[in-house]
């Protein structure tokens, strides 16, 4: 295929397969780390709200540590640090774990905020029916909190998609890694990164749209912000 | 008019003995004792901040009492190793601000306790829930979410939710205080009907008309103790304690005639 020239910039369609492969890796890493983050984040949030003693303190310590230190430091500790304890992880797995542990701390804070936004009377009414605390959390509190958390949580998903680009620092060939390789070979830095920026932008738009649809789908009257009431 | 002289009183359903509760330095309950018999309606009145709501919450240990004993039939609620969730499942609780589950329809609000606590199969739970919604005149609102219902309707759903569990008694914590005046009637009508059907009820309320009509006994509480108790006729017309008379005088000025 011919190269495309726009305003003195030259784009080569031959880059696309490699960028496509990188995009798949980026989406895999984002998907996996978000999944780890949801599960771990929910557990942390529940411990932070309902836990007592060591469970509360440990979950709080976790959140403080991962929010209080740079993501890159966490990634490098896992990739370069853990081998000195005999734990050697692949670059891909290091990236997934570092990003997953990090986003879990942030997601935990979003979940905690949403759980605490549910009026106390909901728990009281659930317990007065004879529900165990775990049942009340599962059937009454979480279904409401998870609906409330979608808008702030969307931000975290989008951030993770973009932050996942730091895994190229440990040699993962994600979208960013692929771009760097192509750029270094062709010296078309500006063109390659314009293309990469557009790809990220497109994915962000798509994710935002999907989450807005999800939010509308699970909306219940009287819960959360009614669209169109503010502004 | 129903009162303490009718013969529908049965065995003791609830017994509260010397209940104490302290919040920080303030002692909210200073030794409260009373009994409720099957089919009885007891109405607790008294100035706000005198521990009436705390008393109700202590009965099912939604608030943990500091001292005192509580029996539900022959189960000691305050006893060691008691299955609290089972006790709570058999005592209905109706809250001042309804506390319907926001994310569930009226039907699901009434059904969820049957499904998750009583573990009934879905068809059976649905049948009971619909019957109880009908009982409070809201079968046609089964699919409505709480936010789509008026305050009065929400409270009626909350009553249906309590009834569906087939409770031994129902505790009402100022069930009409959060309602607009024009919506109070529909909730009181349901409660009067329940009392007449023989439901055992303990009601904290300022609705003197309701109290005079259906209460077998009125309990006047102030400062964390029961000051006086007796059938409405006696308590309203010849209160023994000057504090009771004073309170009734004030409340009559506010809410109109009693009985």
């Amino acid at each position: 295929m011919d190269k495309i020239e726009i305003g003195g910039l030259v784009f080569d369609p031959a880059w696309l397969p490699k960028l496509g492969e990188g995009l798949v890796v980026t989406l895999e890493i984002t998907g996996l780390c978000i999944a780890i983050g949801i599960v771990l984040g929910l557990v942390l949030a529940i411990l932070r709200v309902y836990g007592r003693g060591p469970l509360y303190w440990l979950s709080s310590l976790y959140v403080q540590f991962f929010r209080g230190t740079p993501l890159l430091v966490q990634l490098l500790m896992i990739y370069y640090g853990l081998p000195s304890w005999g734990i050697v992880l692949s670059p891909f797995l290091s990236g997934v774990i570092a990003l997953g542990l990090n986003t879990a701390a942030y997601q935990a804070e979003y979940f905690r905020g949403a759980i605490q936004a549910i009026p106390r009377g909901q728990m009281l009414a659930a317990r007065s029916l004879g529900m165990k605390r775990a049942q009340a959390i599962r059937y009454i509190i979480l279904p409401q909190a998870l609906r409330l958390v979608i808008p702030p949580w969307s931000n975290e998903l989008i951030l993770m998609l973009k932050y996942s680009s730091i895994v190229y620092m440990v040699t993962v060939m994600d979208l960013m890694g692929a771009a760097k390789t192509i750029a270094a070979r062709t010296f078309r830095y500006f063109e390659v990164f314009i293309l990469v920026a557009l790809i990220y932008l497109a994915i962000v738009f798509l994710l935002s749209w999907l989450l807005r649809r999800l939010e509308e789908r699970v909306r219940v009257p009287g819960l959360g912000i009614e669209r169109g009431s503010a502004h | 008019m129903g009162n303490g002289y009718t013969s529908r009183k049965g065995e003791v359903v609830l017994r509260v003995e010397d209940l104490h509760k302290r919040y920080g330095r303030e002692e909210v309950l200073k030794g409260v004792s009373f009994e409720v018999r099957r089919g009885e309606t007891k109405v607790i009145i008294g100035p706000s901040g005198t521990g009436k709501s705390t008393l109700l919450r202590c009965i099912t240990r939604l608030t943990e009492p500091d001292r005192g004993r509580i029996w539900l039939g022959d189960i000691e609620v305050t006893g060691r190793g008691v299955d609290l969730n089972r006790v709570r499942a058999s005592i209905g609780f109706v809250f001042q601000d309804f506390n319907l589950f926001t994310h569930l329809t009226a039907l699901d609000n009434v059904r969820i306790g049957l499904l998750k606590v009583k573990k009934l199969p879905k068809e059976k739970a649905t049948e009971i829930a619909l019957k109880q919604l009908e009982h409070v005149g809201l079968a046609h609102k089964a699919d409505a979410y709480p936010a789509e219902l008026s305050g009065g309707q929400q409270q009626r759903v909350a009553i249906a939710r309590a009834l569906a569990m087939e409770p031994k008694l129902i505790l009402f914590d100022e069930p009409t205080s959060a309602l607009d005046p024009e919506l109070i009637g529909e909730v009181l009508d349901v409660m009067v009907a329940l009392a007449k059907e023989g439901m055992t009820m303990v009601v904290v309320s300022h609705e003197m008309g309701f109290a005079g009509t259906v209460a077998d006994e009125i309990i006047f509480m102030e400062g964390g103790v029961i000051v006086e108790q007796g059938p409405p006729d006696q308590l309203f017309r010849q209160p023994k304690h000057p504090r009771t008379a004073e309170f009734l005088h004030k409340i009559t000025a506010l809410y109109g005639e009693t009985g």
Side-chain angles (χ1 to χ4, degrees), chain A residues 65-79 98 101-102:
Chain A
F65 176 80
F66 280 94
R67 292 206 316 158
T69 55
L71 177 53
L72 187 55
V73 171
Q74 294 158 18
L75 175 63
L76 297 182
M77 276 171 62
I78 286 170
Y79 185 64
L101 296 182
N102 182 277

Side-chain angles (χ1 to χ4, degrees), chain A residues 97-230:
Chain A
I97 290 173
L99 288 161
L101 296 182
N102 182 277
T103 184
Y106 284 91
Q107 290 190 39
E109 287 300 271
Y110 288 128
F111 292 141
R112 182 173 70 102
I115 289 171
Q116 287 174 334
I118 308 300
R120 279 179 50 85
Q122 296 286 306
M123 175 58 93
L124 210 55
R127 298 309 300 276
S128 81
L129 280 178
M131 281 192 205
K132 300 184 186 95
R133 180 190 274 218
Q135 285 181 310
I137 293 172
R138 175 165 166 209
Y139 298 118
I140 305 302
I141 305 300
L142 287 186
Q144 298 185 42
L146 290 177
R147 284 178 168 90
L148 287 185
V149 89
I150 294 173
W153 187 86
S154 313
N155 287 331
E156 180 64 13
L157 174 61
I158 286 163
L159 275 178
M160 288 325 284
L161 173 75
K162 293 183 294 176
Y163 282 168
S164 72
S165 61
I166 72 157
V167 296
Y168 91 94
M169 296 290 288
V170 293
T171 74
V172 176
M173 277 296 133
D174 71 329
L175 183 55
M176 185 72 179
K180 267 216 105 186
T181 315
I182 296 167
R185 210 176 52 218
T186 60
F187 295 104
R188 295 276 176 201
Y189 282 93
F190 198 26
E191 290 89 337
V192 171
F193 284 111
I194 284 177
L195 209 54
V196 164
L198 289 175
I199 294 171
Y200 276 114
L201 201 59
I203 306 288
V204 167
F205 269 118
L206 183 68
L207 288 176
S208 308
W209 179 77
L210 282 173
L211 281 160
R212 264 203 314 277
R213 285 209 50 185
L214 174 69
E215 197 192 338
E216 274 154 28
R217 225 192 142 100
V218 299
R219 167 164 292 140
V220 156
L223 193 61
I225 309 131
E226 299 289 337
R227 213 164 271 281
S229 58

